[in-house]
Each structure stands twice: as structure tokens, then as C-alpha cells.
Amino acid sequence: MTDMQLTIDLATAHVAAVCLRTGPVERLGVELEWLVRDASDPAAPVPLDRVRQTVKDCGELPGGGQLTCEPGGQLELSSGAGLGLAGCLADTVADLRILREAAHANNLDLIGYGLDPLRPPRRILDAPRYRAMAEYFAPFSPAGQLMMCSTASVQVCVDAGQGSGGDRWRLAHALGPVLVGAFANSALREGRPTGWKSTRWAVWDALDPARTRPVTLRAGEDLRGAYARYVLDAPVMCVRDGSGVWRVPQGLTFRQWIAAPGVRPPGMDDLDYHLSTLFPPVRARGYLELRMIDAQPGDGWQVPLAVVSALMDDPVAANAALAATEEVRGGWQAAARHGLATPAMARAARECFAAAADALERTGAPTGVRAAVEDFRETYVERGRCPADDCL
């Protein structure tokens, strides 16, 4: 699996180059994960062949999206990089229509919850990647099993922006707790309340902190340097080989692997694979991937997509959001546990949604999504509620 001898300097430069590609803010993307249920028996496990048949029946999607199957049978629809909100919405709606038709033909339902509220975790994919992942996360049981097999999210992807990308990076992290709380939608596990509004976030938070907690910038550190440090200091999930049995080292960071290669030295392809096994709430993939939002029911995914787009891309709304979130910065756990039930988080959400609504109107966003944002705002945000409260 080696392609060249890596050094710390080469690895740092590579991470800096591939993870943050700065430039004009133009594109928007979304990744929609869905729990898949048997339409006749919501508590029954769904066989892998029916999930795969659903993917096969979709064929080439008209909007350019890609379908993948997750370890527990969840389906993920990843949009193309649409030019702006209207384009992303149109393409994803077209692709989702095909996916829903194929699921219906196979007697399956696509369910929008952050965590499966009924069924225990059950892995149905047995690829080497997922065997290694299951072994790596075994000490974090049951969080590891739940993360792999029972969670679903809405992930919004935005350009990193001009300059160093640091301004939009900081804005994304400032918004993060508000997005967790406003869209919390995973209060049940195996039919019982968990004590969290976003149990999905609690599950991720209980995993290996070196690969799931937010990336922090130290004093005087630029974003590229901070992200490279985070990547190199994260433990290696697995060392791949051609046999299909991948070794799972214990406590070996990528930095240590470079310094003391052991069985074999790592190559650039190993570093790229390592990047794919890191899951901070804002992940740098050339663009910024916001991973903190629970899956939403029906077409509810359009609301976080529009709100993130408005607050990240409109300068007036961005400034308002930065001011609104000052009191709740870093409040990830409080947002996951309480949703918008605390006064500070409720106030921050109201101000952020007001700024987003104004920006969507100012920029001429499609009427339908503006109405959806306003309906969500009135139903939940203005009342200090989130979708999880409906289940409770």
C-alpha cells in the first residue's frame, strides 16, 4: 500500500493542500443519510439484498448524486456540488424522488431520525473497512455500534472561502451548537427516552475524542497547520494490506507511524485513507463539511440546508449569527441534551433563524424553501422546541 516514503513535513503539506482549497464562495452540497425500514414491519431488520436492490434500481440519478450504503443498512444520498441553494435543492429533490420510488418498490421506507428509535444496532456490511472499524470502536461500546449502524444525519457542505479559510471555519463552529439544538431529532433508543434531544450527538461524543471532537486552533496557529496537527495526532484506525484482514493497531498515531513504521512505512495513500476515518463536527475535505445535524423527517432536510447556506454565505447574516452565538460557543453537549430548552440556546437560535430568513428573502431563495424555513421557525424555534420534542 506504500507509494512514497512519507515524512512529517510531506504529510503536513499534503493535508494542508487537500483539506482546504480556498477561493470564491459558490458551491453548496448536501449529504442525506436515511434509516431504512421494512414498510410492513418497522421493527424488523432489513436484509442487505433489499437495500442493494434499491440502490441498483435507482440507476444513474438525474441530479448527479451518488448513493452509498452504510454499515447498518442506512442509505446516503450525496448531492453533486450545486451552484448555490436553488441548484442544490433542484438536483437533490430530483434524485431523492428516484430513491423514494425505488425504496417503495422494494417495500422499504426512508426514515429521517438521527438515531434509530426502535431497532438495536446490527451491522449488515462486512467489508474490511467496516470489520476494522468495528474492532477499533469495540472499546467504546455501545457507542461504536450505534454510530456505525443506527445513526443518520444531514451534512451540509460549503466552500472554505477566500484567504486562509479561518473566518468561515470559525463561523461554522460558532453555529454548530445552535444547529445541534435546533435540529435535534433523536430522543429515543429502542423505544425509550435517552435523556438527550440529540442522542446521535451523544453517541459521537462518546467515541474516540481524537477523531470526533472539534478541531481547535491554538494561539498563533493557522487553520491549515491546526488541521494537519489534528490529523497526524489522531490514532490510526487500521493498517491495510491485500489480504482483506486489516490490522488494527492500539494507540498508534499517524505521526508515530511515520516516525516508527514497524511492519511497513505509511504512504500517501495511507494518509488519504486516514483522513477518511476522521469525523470532527466540521470536517475539512477541500470544502467544509458540517456534520452536526440530525436527519430530518420527510423533506425537512431542506431547512438546515437553507439556514446553513444563508448564515454562511450572506455577510450580513454571518455577522448577525456570530453575535447571536457568542453566549453558546462550545455548548455542544448542552445543545444535544436540551435542544432549545435553555434560555441562552433558545435566544441564539431565534436570532440565527431570523437572520437566515432575512438573508433568504434578500437573496431571492426559492419560495418553497423560504416557506419551509418560516414554518420550522414558527413551529419549533420561536417556541424553544426541536423535532425531538415531538417524539417525547
Side-chain angles (χ1 to χ4, degrees):
M1 287 284 176
T2 59
D3 47 8
M4 63 178 296
Q5 185 70 41
L6 269 186
T7 64
I8 296 297
D9 287 344
L10 280 174
T12 298
H14 180 73
V15 172
V18 303
C19 288
L20 285 159
R21 300 189 182 101
T22 55
V25 174
E26 297 175 336
R27 301 168 302 163
L28 182 68
V30 68
E31 299 175 12
L32 306 177
E33 293 176 335
W34 302 95
L35 303 172
V36 178
R37 281 188 188 167
D38 187 307
S40 303
D41 186 357
V46 175
L48 177 59
D49 59 353
R50 289 172 62 191
V51 179
R52 283 180 167 163
Q53 186 62 49
T54 298
V55 174
K56 182 179 179 181
D57 290 348
C58 289
E60 186 175 346
L61 294 172
Q66 299 293 320
L67 280 172
T68 53
C69 181
E70 298 295 307
Q74 311 98 307
L75 283 176
E76 180 178 294
L77 171 61
S78 301
S79 76
L83 291 178
L85 178 60
C88 184
L89 280 169
D91 289 346
T92 307
V93 166
D95 290 348
L96 187 54
R97 183 181 303 115
I98 300 299
L99 174 57
R100 284 173 169 155
E101 289 172 357
H104 180 73
N106 286 281
N107 198 37
L108 298 176
D109 288 333
L110 304 179
I111 304 300
Y113 289 111
L115 183 81
D116 194 315
L118 295 177
R119 299 171 297 183
R122 174 176 171 266
R123 183 162 61 91
I124 65 174
L125 287 184
D126 195 38
R129 172 183 174 92
Y130 297 126
R131 287 198 298 270
M133 187 178 288
E135 182 179 345
Y136 181 88
F137 284 123
F140 302 94
S141 180
Q145 296 168 297
L146 289 167
M147 179 277 288
M148 292 178 64
C149 304
S150 300
T151 60
S153 66
V154 174
Q155 298 171 20
V156 182
C157 304
V158 299
D159 281 323
Q162 302 277 21
S164 69
D167 289 344
R168 283 168 67 81
W169 178 265
R170 283 184 283 271
L171 176 57
H173 283 82
L175 291 173
V178 171
L179 297 172
V180 171
F183 297 108
N185 189 34
S186 50
L188 303 178
R189 178 185 167 200
E190 296 185 37
R192 295 182 177 87
T194 64
W196 296 80
K197 299 292 179 69
S198 177
T199 310
R200 173 186 165 273
W201 175 266
V203 164
W204 280 97
D205 195 51
L207 291 173
D208 175 11
R211 65 183 350 102
T212 62
R213 297 283 175 85
V215 179
T216 57
L217 274 68
R218 296 172 179 169
E221 190 176 36
D222 70 0
L223 178 54
R224 285 184 170 85
Y227 205 83
R229 170 179 53 79
Y230 173 88
V231 169
L232 294 178
D233 288 344
V236 174
M237 181 172 286
C238 59
V239 176
R240 301 170 297 160
D241 63 29
S243 71
V245 179
W246 298 355
R247 186 167 61 88
V248 178
Q250 297 296 320
L252 176 72
T253 69
F254 204 92
R255 188 185 303 276
Q256 291 168 338
W257 190 12
I258 293 174
V263 175
R264 66 170 179 83
M268 200 68 80
D269 59 340
D270 293 302
L271 179 55
D272 287 333
Y273 184 83
H274 178 64
L275 287 169
S276 76
T277 69
L278 306 178
F279 310 106
V282 181
R283 183 161 68 168
R285 302 182 64 188
Y287 49 88
L288 306 183
E289 180 185 78
L290 280 67
R291 302 175 50 86
M292 70 286 294
I293 302 166
D294 279 1
Q296 302 293 296
D299 288 325
W301 57 272
Q302 297 185 21
V303 177
L305 176 66
V307 168
V308 170
S309 172
L311 296 178
M312 290 292 296
D313 295 349
D314 182 271
V316 175
N319 286 334
L322 281 173
T325 56
E326 187 171 357
E327 192 178 354
V328 296
R329 302 275 172 87
W332 302 92
Q333 285 196 355
R337 185 176 290 280
H338 303 295
L340 301 186
T342 62
M345 196 65 71
R347 183 166 52 251
R350 286 195 301 269
E351 294 178 13
C352 284
F353 271 74
D358 289 345
L360 291 169
E361 182 176 2
R362 187 164 52 245
T363 56
T367 303
V369 76
R370 284 160 52 192
V373 170
E374 191 59 32
D375 182 63
F376 188 96
R377 182 182 170 194
E378 293 178 0
T379 302
Y380 297 110
V381 177
E382 293 298 326
R383 301 179 185 184
R385 301 177 69 251
C386 60
D389 292 311
D390 293 342
C391 294
L392 295 172

